[in-house]
Amino acid sequence: MNLKTLGEFNFIDLIKEKAIVHPDHVITGIGDDSAIFQSDRNRVNAISTDTLVEGIHFVRDQVTPYDVGLKALAVTLSDLAAMGARPAHALMNLSVPPDIELAYLEQLFAGFYDLALIYNINLIGGDLTASRRDITISVTVVGDVSRRRALHRNGAQPGDKLLVTGTLGNSAAGQMLLSKSLEFTNESARERLIKAHTQPKPYIFEGEFIAESGCATSMIDISDGLSSDLNHIVNQSQVSAQIYASKLPSSDELRSFCDATGTNPLELLLHGGEEYSLLFSLKPVQADLFIASYQHRFNSHITVIGEIVEGYGMQLIDATGKSTEIEPAGWDHFAP
Amino acid sequence: MNLKTLGEFNFIDLIKEKAIVHPDHVITGIGDDSAIFQSDRNRVNAISTDTLVEGIHFVRDQVTPYDVGLKALAVTLSDLAAMGARPAHALMNLSVPPDIELAYLEQLFAGFYDLALIYNINLIGGDLTASRRDITISVTVVGDVSRRRALHRNGAQPGDKLLVTGTLGNSAAGQMLLSKSLEFTNESARERLIKAHTQPKPYIFEGEFIAESGCATSMIDISDGLSSDLNHIVNQSQVSAQIYASKLPSSDELRSFCDATGTNPLELLLHGGEEYSLLFSLKPVQADLFIASYQHRFNSHITVIGEIVEGYGMQLIDATGKSTEIEPAGWDHFAP
């Protein structure tokens, strides 16, 4: 059955059933002109939105509809994580060609709802429209954050340590494997790299932990690539950053991929986008204690990759101590 | 110059300048991972989102970019109006082909910002992405509403009066004039009809007034057509409605259009979409007082078009008192 046969309103009834996972603050969800929800009065709201476009962010034949739905939510959640906010409610704007198979849409919502359940996110509204050819999916997420603790891009101070959660470059390698035919026979590594690209992990709990610690001074999620996103922090904080090439955290599967394909790992670590690791600056005196308590809480990678210093731009320090300027080279949809 | 030459971040810097029109509750706007804003603690948040897709909702050559930007905001504002909510902040997800002219985008934002200024709406975030061919624009609006006063679709009671703001059918006639070559020489009427379609009026102040009056029991905006949207009210309220054909409010220009083109006005009045008039039910004892105070406040059309009765479905009563069933026949993107 396709969407044209079923009709818009019948389809919305179908997907409504699994939409609310924590009803406490939802006064009105899907099925009225607006959603209505209440926010905790001691906290402020945070809201963010992201779009995935067929042919730009994903190729329909390369990625399952499950992963499209999951990723559309994951990347938007990541933006709230990067403020230290706790996401609560989502809206989805979905434009699809009228002849799309219902099974495709059901799988798309299955991916969305599976991730929503993990992070306790309600779907409270959206808009379902036709398109002439391509699928476009925009997800908006609303949450809240303690006003005092919200982490912006402009708070980094000279002397701060610079850290990232997780590892870097896996998503970019996964995208290369999806879009090019590359010789790489390590099947389990291939799977992990592709999954990093198609099912990115939003660092929600980690982001809230970092913000609530009170030790961090700025934060961003690495959506465009480390060089591009660090550039936002140094520009908006009016500082400079020094990154140690040898400290950039890479996974076993990434190193195996780079060896097998002759890819320069530094290229992926510095400029690979869609990683959704959190990049943040930390007051130096509290750094050791923070890292210990983070690792106790999450049992996952967290790495000091450099420092904030006075000045402009970003410098990469190699193993010999030589410094070279880093040019931001991440994802710009419209770059020449 | 086109967007590809300028680059994504430079363009965002350009449009950021006019984004905040009431800074009071905005803690973070465009340029961080999420926007952060504070809501009044005595009210609850309302949020809604709508999408306009090129080739589905507008044809690029027929509508100015100014009108696309204005309408994308207007239709979303209308959803908040239909709850009685006061909109405050907007996000825009814009997907455009990389070779789009910068002048096109500037005009699109000019239309958006002009309307935003009238209704005091901040643009606090969004997402700018490439597309392969078509323009897709999703606008999300957040506002607040008194929890007690918010008007849903399910509150209509037998005995209630049914009212609409403004007139009906103008937008549908305007769309016909845009998409078909029709003989209609009344130039000023033609202009008004097309404007009703390309620059719809969101009934924001009226919606809040209706909700705050405490006399209304349900409300919806006529986005899909009177028959389709009234159908939502009667279904969700588990009631029936009787509409008087002779009472449906039409404009001089609509009557002139129908005469000249041989169009059945009832078709446009009942089923014409994208009107964004508010349709609401009102407690009968307070109806006269409410209507008088509404007209005193707004100096614009408000019309009793029928009543809520017990039962199912919707009936149209003609001048002789004869009743016929109304089938919902408004806009469904995916209808067979």
Side-chain angles (χ1 to χ4, degrees):
Chain A
M1 191 189 290
N2 65 29
L3 195 51
K4 217 165 151 177
T5 324
L6 184 68
E8 174 180 353
F9 298 122
N10 291 327
F11 179 71
I12 290 170
D13 279 344
L14 202 70
I15 57 117
K16 239 169 78 170
E17 287 166 23
K18 290 184 176 177
I20 302 296
V21 291
H22 64 108
D24 320 2
H25 294 102
V26 180
I27 297 160
T28 308
I30 293 172
D32 214 315
D33 300 287
S34 298
I36 296 187
F37 59 97
Q38 190 154 26
S39 58
D40 187 309
R41 59 174 57 185
N42 297 317
R43 294 164 65 87
V44 292
N45 295 111
I47 187 166
S48 194
T49 190
D50 261 312
T51 301
L52 299 187
V53 182
E54 181 182 347
I56 305 292
H57 301 90
F58 67 94
V59 175
R60 211 191 294 188
D61 298 340
Q62 287 173 4
V63 185
T64 65
Y66 183 93
D67 287 349
V68 172
L70 185 152
K71 186 167 178 174
L73 177 57
V75 302
T76 317
L77 289 178
S78 181
D79 281 326
L80 257 70
M83 307 302 283
R86 184 188 301 162
H89 312 289
L91 298 97
M92 188 200 291
N93 300 58
L94 182 62
S95 302
V96 290
D99 61 356
I100 197 160
E101 281 299 317
L102 199 56
Y104 187 96
L105 296 180
E106 282 171 339
Q107 278 305 303
L108 186 151
F109 273 90
F112 184 95
Y113 280 142
D114 279 358
L115 193 71
L117 206 56
I118 292 175
Y119 293 106
N120 210 26
I121 311 296
N122 295 321
L123 181 66
I124 56 169
D127 192 19
L128 175 65
T129 65
S131 73
R132 289 194 287 188
R133 189 184 65 175
D134 290 335
I135 299 169
T136 302
I137 174 168
S138 292
V139 173
T140 304
V141 175
V142 190
D144 61 0
V145 61
S146 136
R147 181 175 180 149
R148 228 161 32 93
R149 294 298 198 203
L151 285 175
H152 304 282
R153 297 176 177 179
N154 64 359
Q157 295 286 334
D160 288 351
K161 300 285 179 195
L162 206 50
L163 292 90
V164 289
T165 63
T167 61
L168 299 171
N170 272 22
S171 175
Q175 188 174 25
M176 286 171 71
L177 286 168
L178 280 173
S179 60
K180 297 176 189 172
S181 93
L182 291 170
E183 191 74 31
F184 183 48
T185 53
N186 184 338
E187 279 309 318
S188 78
R190 171 188 284 268
E191 242 175 60
R192 283 202 296 281
L193 293 172
I194 288 177
K195 200 170 171 186
H197 184 70
T198 56
Q199 298 194 1
K201 170 188 159 69
Y203 287 84
I204 298 295
F205 303 128
E206 293 85 348
E208 198 175 355
F209 179 90
I210 295 163
E212 287 298 327
S213 77
C215 314
T217 54
S218 71
M219 186 153 64
I220 193 168
D221 66 323
I222 301 181
S223 51
D224 293 337
L226 173 62
S227 63
S228 179
D229 290 312
L230 178 57
N231 192 45
H232 290 308
I233 286 188
V234 300
N235 279 346
Q236 293 187 30
S237 301
Q238 298 184 281
V239 293
S240 173
Q242 293 193 324
I243 301 291
Y244 299 99
S246 62
K247 300 263 182 81
L248 294 175
S250 61
S251 64
D252 294 343
E253 55 269 25
L254 185 77
R255 288 188 298 271
S256 158
F257 169 85
C258 288
D259 286 348
T261 59
T263 311
N264 178 2
L266 201 56
E267 197 60 30
L268 298 181
L269 296 171
L270 274 182
H271 307 303
E274 302 196 61
E275 198 62 48
Y276 305 107
S277 295
L278 295 174
L279 169 68
F280 60 104
S281 55
L282 199 67
K283 294 176 193 163
V285 289
Q286 292 155 312
D288 289 345
L289 188 61
F290 170 85
I291 292 168
S293 66
Y294 181 97
Q295 280 170 334
H296 180 70
R297 168 78 173 77
F298 292 110
N299 189 30
S300 74
H301 278 283
I302 188 158
T303 315
V304 177
I305 60 166
E307 279 110 31
I308 300 293
V309 294
E310 285 188 16
Y312 300 98
M314 305 171 288
Q315 290 84 42
L316 185 74
I317 317 287
D318 71 12
T320 70
K322 199 175 132 257
S323 160
T324 51
E325 202 66 22
I326 305 172
E327 291 298 325
W331 180 262
D332 176 344
H333 290 95
F334 307 102
Chain B
M1 191 189 290
N2 66 28
L3 195 51
K4 218 165 150 177
T5 324
L6 184 66
E8 175 180 352
F9 298 122
N10 290 328
F11 179 71
I12 291 170
D13 279 345
L14 202 69
I15 56 116
K16 239 168 79 170
E17 287 167 23
K18 289 184 175 176
I20 303 296
V21 291
H22 64 106
D24 318 2
H25 294 103
V26 180
I27 298 161
T28 308
I30 294 171
D32 214 314
D33 300 287
S34 298
I36 296 187
F37 60 95
Q38 191 153 27
S39 59
D40 187 308
R41 58 174 59 185
N42 297 316
R43 295 163 66 88
V44 291
N45 296 111
I47 186 166
S48 196
T49 190
D50 262 312
T51 302
L52 301 187
V53 182
E54 180 181 349
I56 305 292
H57 301 90
F58 67 94
V59 175
R60 210 191 295 190
D61 297 341
Q62 287 174 4
V63 185
T64 65
Y66 182 94
D67 287 349
V68 171
L70 185 151
K71 187 167 178 174
L73 177 58
V75 302
T76 316
L77 289 178
S78 181
D79 281 325
L80 257 70
M83 307 301 283
R86 185 188 301 161
H89 312 289
L91 297 97
M92 188 200 292
N93 299 59
L94 182 63
S95 301
V96 290
D99 61 354
I100 197 160
E101 280 299 317
L102 200 57
Y104 187 96
L105 296 179
E106 282 172 339
Q107 278 305 301
L108 186 152
F109 273 90
F112 184 96
Y113 280 142
D114 279 359
L115 193 70
L117 205 57
I118 292 174
Y119 292 107
N120 211 27
I121 312 295
N122 293 323
L123 181 65
I124 57 170
D127 192 19
L128 176 65
T129 66
S131 73
R132 288 194 287 188
R133 190 184 65 177
D134 291 334
I135 298 169
T136 302
I137 174 169
S138 292
V139 174
T140 303
V141 175
V142 189
D144 61 0
V145 61
S146 137
R147 181 174 180 150
R148 229 163 30 95
R149 294 298 197 204
L151 285 174
H152 303 283
R153 296 175 178 180
N154 64 359
Q157 296 285 334
D160 287 351
K161 300 284 181 195
L162 207 50
L163 292 90
V164 289
T165 63
T167 62
L168 299 171
N170 271 23
S171 175
Q175 187 174 23
M176 287 171 70
L177 287 167
L178 278 174
S179 58
K180 297 175 188 172
S181 93
L182 292 169
E183 190 73 32
F184 183 49
T185 53
N186 183 338
E187 277 310 317
S188 77
R190 171 186 283 268
E191 242 173 61
R192 282 202 296 280
L193 294 172
I194 289 176
K195 199 169 171 186
H197 183 71
T198 55
Q199 299 193 359
K201 169 188 159 70
Y203 287 85
I204 298 294
F205 303 128
E206 293 84 348
E208 199 176 355
F209 180 90
I210 294 163
E212 288 296 328
S213 76
C215 315
T217 54
S218 72
M219 185 152 65
I220 194 169
D221 66 322
I222 301 181
S223 50
D224 293 335
L226 173 62
S227 63
S228 178
D229 290 312
L230 178 57
N231 193 45
H232 290 308
I233 286 187
V234 299
N235 279 345
Q236 293 187 29
S237 302
Q238 298 184 282
V239 294
S240 173
Q242 294 194 323
I243 301 291
Y244 300 100
S246 63
K247 300 263 181 80
L248 294 175
S250 61
S251 64
D252 293 343
E253 54 269 26
L254 185 77
R255 289 189 295 273
S256 157
F257 169 84
C258 288
D259 286 348
T261 59
T263 310
N264 177 2
L266 201 56
E267 197 61 31
L268 297 182
L269 296 172
L270 274 182
H271 308 302
E274 301 197 60
E275 198 63 47
Y276 305 106
S277 294
L278 295 174
L279 170 68
F280 60 103
S281 55
L282 199 66
K283 293 176 193 165
V285 289
Q286 292 155 313
D288 289 347
L289 188 61
F290 170 85
I291 292 167
S293 67
Y294 181 98
Q295 281 171 334
H296 179 71
R297 167 77 175 75
F298 292 109
N299 190 29
S300 74
H301 279 283
I302 188 156
T303 315
V304 177
I305 61 166
E307 279 110 32
I308 300 294
V309 295
E310 285 187 16
Y312 300 96
M314 306 171 287
Q315 292 83 42
L316 186 73
I317 317 287
D318 72 12
T320 70
K322 198 175 131 260
S323 161
T324 51
E325 202 65 22
I326 305 173
E327 291 298 325
W331 179 263
D332 176 344
H333 290 96
F334 306 102

